[in-house]
Amino acid sequence: VLAVLSCLAALRIGPRPLPRAAAAFDVHGALLYVTGLSAAMYGMSTAASSRPGAWILLGGLALLALFVRQELREVSPLVELRLLLANRPFAFSNLAALVNYMSTSGVGYLLSVYLQSVRGLTAQGAGLVLLAQAGIMATVSPLSGRLSDRVEPRLVATTGMVLTGAGLVMLEFLTPSTPTVYLVTALLVIGLGYGLFAPPNNNAVMSSVPPRSYGVASSILSTMRLVGQTMSMTLTSLILAAMVGTTAVGALPAGVFMRGMKAAVGVFAACCVAGAFASMARGKVLQEP
C-alpha cells in the first residue's frame, strides 16, 4: 500500500521526464553482480570454518572485479560507476554510507542475543530495550535533514559517524551484569549518531549530482545500503564463527559469546573511524551563497 501511494505521489508531484530512447538492459553486468556478490557474501560467512568457503570468497571477488570492468566499458551500465569515479563528493558520500550501514546493522542481532541468552530477557523485553535506538533515530533524523540544508552535510554527517563510533565503544564495556540503563544510554548514542548521519549524507549524495542523475544516484545509494547491511551480518557471522566455532549462538556460555560480541563490535567501531575520515574527505557539497 505504501509503495502504491509513493508511486502515485511521485507521478503527481514529480516533474515529467523527457522521453528518450530506451537503453538496452545490461544482462552481463546483472549476472556478474548477482553471482559475484552472492558468492562473496556466502564465502565470507563460511571461510572461517571450511576451505571451500575461502575459494568461493575469492571467486566472488573475482566476479565483482569483472563486474567493475564490465560497467566501465558498458554504454548503458547496470550501475553507473563512472559517476562514482568522476565525482569526489558523490563517491565519498556513498563510501561513508556503506561503512555506516556495515558498522551498525549487525549490532541489533548481537544485542538481541545478548539480552535474551546472557541477560535472560524475553524476546518482548529485548525488543523494548532495543527500541530506544529506533526512537531517537526517528526523532533526530527530520531535524538533521533540515540542518544539513543550512550547514555543510559533511560536518553534520561526520559528527553522527563519530557519535555512532562512541556508542559502539560503550558496548565494549558490557558485562553479563551491566545495568540496563547503561545499555540504553549506549543505544541512544548510537541512534543519535545514525540520525545525524543518514539524512545529511543522503542530502550530500543527491546534492552532488545534477537533476538528470537523481535516479542513478538514488540507486547507487540504495545499493550501498543493502551491501553494507549484508556485509555487516556476514562479518558478524564470520567473527563469531572464528571466535566460538560452530556451536549455536544461543547455546554458548555467556563469557564465550561476550568475547565474540565484543570482537565484532570492536571491528564495527574501527570501521566508524574509517567512515568518519571518508565523510570528511568528500569535500564541500553546499555552494557558497
Side-chain angles (χ1 to χ4, degrees), residues 18-26 74-77:
L18 295 176
R20 62 179 184 180
F25 182 69
D26 182 14
E74 179 66 35
V75 176
S76 301

PDB file of all heavy atoms in Angstrom, residues 18-26 74-77:
ATOM      1  N   LEU A  18      11.610  13.823 -19.769  1.00  0.00           N
ATOM      2  CA  LEU A  18      11.576  13.909 -21.216  1.00  0.00           C
ATOM      3  C   LEU A  18      11.765  12.523 -21.805  1.00  0.00           C
ATOM      4  O   LEU A  18      12.588  11.748 -21.332  1.00  0.00           O
ATOM      5  CB  LEU A  18      12.686  14.849 -21.714  1.00  0.00           C
ATOM      6  CG  LEU A  18      12.539  16.314 -21.294  1.00  0.00           C
ATOM      7  CD1 LEU A  18      13.757  17.100 -21.774  1.00  0.00           C
ATOM      8  CD2 LEU A  18      11.269  16.917 -21.856  1.00  0.00           C
ATOM      9  N   PRO A  19      11.001  12.184 -22.858  1.00  0.00           N
ATOM     10  CA  PRO A  19      11.167  10.857 -23.456  1.00  0.00           C
ATOM     11  C   PRO A  19      12.534  10.728 -24.099  1.00  0.00           C
ATOM     12  O   PRO A  19      13.065  11.666 -24.664  1.00  0.00           O
ATOM     13  CB  PRO A  19      10.044  10.811 -24.503  1.00  0.00           C
ATOM     14  CG  PRO A  19       9.751  12.243 -24.812  1.00  0.00           C
ATOM     15  CD  PRO A  19       9.990  12.997 -23.544  1.00  0.00           C
ATOM     16  N   ARG A  20      13.104   9.547 -24.022  1.00  0.00           N
ATOM     17  CA  ARG A  20      14.386   9.276 -24.657  1.00  0.00           C
ATOM     18  C   ARG A  20      14.422   7.812 -25.088  1.00  0.00           C
ATOM     19  O   ARG A  20      13.618   7.003 -24.667  1.00  0.00           O
ATOM     20  CB  ARG A  20      15.546   9.557 -23.706  1.00  0.00           C
ATOM     21  CG  ARG A  20      15.566   8.699 -22.457  1.00  0.00           C
ATOM     22  CD  ARG A  20      16.771   9.043 -21.615  1.00  0.00           C
ATOM     23  NE  ARG A  20      16.858   8.163 -20.456  1.00  0.00           N
ATOM     24  CZ  ARG A  20      17.822   8.231 -19.545  1.00  0.00           C
ATOM     25  NH1 ARG A  20      18.764   9.152 -19.657  1.00  0.00           N
ATOM     26  NH2 ARG A  20      17.840   7.394 -18.526  1.00  0.00           N
ATOM     27  N   ALA A  21      15.350   7.530 -25.922  1.00  0.00           N
ATOM     28  CA  ALA A  21      15.452   6.176 -26.445  1.00  0.00           C
ATOM     29  C   ALA A  21      15.737   5.192 -25.318  1.00  0.00           C
ATOM     30  O   ALA A  21      16.536   5.465 -24.432  1.00  0.00           O
ATOM     31  CB  ALA A  21      16.559   6.111 -27.491  1.00  0.00           C
ATOM     32  N   ALA A  22      15.056   4.068 -25.358  1.00  0.00           N
ATOM     33  CA  ALA A  22      15.252   3.057 -24.322  1.00  0.00           C
ATOM     34  C   ALA A  22      16.639   2.442 -24.437  1.00  0.00           C
ATOM     35  O   ALA A  22      17.123   2.150 -25.532  1.00  0.00           O
ATOM     36  CB  ALA A  22      14.188   1.973 -24.455  1.00  0.00           C
ATOM     37  N   ALA A  23      17.298   2.274 -23.294  1.00  0.00           N
ATOM     38  CA  ALA A  23      18.630   1.680 -23.277  1.00  0.00           C
ATOM     39  C   ALA A  23      18.521   0.178 -23.093  1.00  0.00           C
ATOM     40  O   ALA A  23      17.617  -0.320 -22.419  1.00  0.00           O
ATOM     41  CB  ALA A  23      19.459   2.285 -22.147  1.00  0.00           C
ATOM     42  N   ALA A  24      19.434  -0.537 -23.702  1.00  0.00           N
ATOM     43  CA  ALA A  24      19.445  -1.994 -23.569  1.00  0.00           C
ATOM     44  C   ALA A  24      19.819  -2.385 -22.153  1.00  0.00           C
ATOM     45  O   ALA A  24      20.674  -1.747 -21.523  1.00  0.00           O
ATOM     46  CB  ALA A  24      20.434  -2.584 -24.577  1.00  0.00           C
ATOM     47  N   PHE A  25      19.173  -3.431 -21.642  1.00  0.00           N
ATOM     48  CA  PHE A  25      19.461  -3.883 -20.284  1.00  0.00           C
ATOM     49  C   PHE A  25      20.817  -4.582 -20.254  1.00  0.00           C
ATOM     50  O   PHE A  25      21.123  -5.413 -21.120  1.00  0.00           O
ATOM     51  CB  PHE A  25      18.367  -4.827 -19.803  1.00  0.00           C
ATOM     52  CG  PHE A  25      18.561  -5.313 -18.400  1.00  0.00           C
ATOM     53  CD1 PHE A  25      18.424  -4.454 -17.327  1.00  0.00           C
ATOM     54  CD2 PHE A  25      18.895  -6.640 -18.149  1.00  0.00           C
ATOM     55  CE1 PHE A  25      18.601  -4.890 -16.032  1.00  0.00           C
ATOM     56  CE2 PHE A  25      19.078  -7.095 -16.855  1.00  0.00           C
ATOM     57  CZ  PHE A  25      18.921  -6.211 -15.793  1.00  0.00           C
ATOM     58  N   ASP A  26      21.614  -4.255 -19.253  1.00  0.00           N
ATOM     59  CA  ASP A  26      22.962  -4.811 -19.116  1.00  0.00           C
ATOM     60  C   ASP A  26      22.875  -6.204 -18.496  1.00  0.00           C
ATOM     61  O   ASP A  26      23.055  -6.378 -17.287  1.00  0.00           O
ATOM     62  CB  ASP A  26      23.825  -3.862 -18.274  1.00  0.00           C
ATOM     63  CG  ASP A  26      25.256  -4.340 -18.121  1.00  0.00           C
ATOM     64  OD1 ASP A  26      25.668  -5.251 -18.869  1.00  0.00           O
ATOM     65  OD2 ASP A  26      25.967  -3.796 -17.262  1.00  0.00           O
ATOM     66  N   GLU A  74      30.638  -0.612 -20.462  1.00  0.00           N
ATOM     67  CA  GLU A  74      29.282  -0.709 -20.996  1.00  0.00           C
ATOM     68  C   GLU A  74      28.708   0.665 -21.317  1.00  0.00           C
ATOM     69  O   GLU A  74      28.889   1.629 -20.557  1.00  0.00           O
ATOM     70  CB  GLU A  74      28.389  -1.418 -19.973  1.00  0.00           C
ATOM     71  CG  GLU A  74      26.941  -1.572 -20.379  1.00  0.00           C
ATOM     72  CD  GLU A  74      26.779  -2.490 -21.584  1.00  0.00           C
ATOM     73  OE1 GLU A  74      27.549  -3.473 -21.702  1.00  0.00           O
ATOM     74  OE2 GLU A  74      25.872  -2.224 -22.391  1.00  0.00           O
ATOM     75  N   VAL A  75      28.018   0.767 -22.460  1.00  0.00           N
ATOM     76  CA  VAL A  75      27.398   2.037 -22.844  1.00  0.00           C
ATOM     77  C   VAL A  75      26.229   2.361 -21.917  1.00  0.00           C
ATOM     78  O   VAL A  75      26.046   3.509 -21.498  1.00  0.00           O
ATOM     79  CB  VAL A  75      26.922   1.961 -24.312  1.00  0.00           C
ATOM     80  CG1 VAL A  75      26.187   3.250 -24.697  1.00  0.00           C
ATOM     81  CG2 VAL A  75      28.097   1.721 -25.249  1.00  0.00           C
ATOM     82  N   SER A  76      25.423   1.367 -21.592  1.00  0.00           N
ATOM     83  CA  SER A  76      24.291   1.547 -20.678  1.00  0.00           C
ATOM     84  C   SER A  76      24.482   0.607 -19.488  1.00  0.00           C
ATOM     85  O   SER A  76      23.856  -0.461 -19.405  1.00  0.00           O
ATOM     86  CB  SER A  76      22.973   1.237 -21.388  1.00  0.00           C
ATOM     87  OG  SER A  76      22.799   2.076 -22.509  1.00  0.00           O
ATOM     88  N   PRO A  77      25.344   0.963 -18.542  1.00  0.00           N
ATOM     89  CA  PRO A  77      25.688   0.045 -17.446  1.00  0.00           C
ATOM     90  C   PRO A  77      24.547  -0.136 -16.456  1.00  0.00           C
ATOM     91  O   PRO A  77      23.669   0.729 -16.313  1.00  0.00           O
ATOM     92  CB  PRO A  77      26.885   0.726 -16.780  1.00  0.00           C
ATOM     93  CG  PRO A  77      26.690   2.180 -17.075  1.00  0.00           C
ATOM     94  CD  PRO A  77      26.057   2.242 -18.432  1.00  0.00           C
TER      95      PRO A  77
END
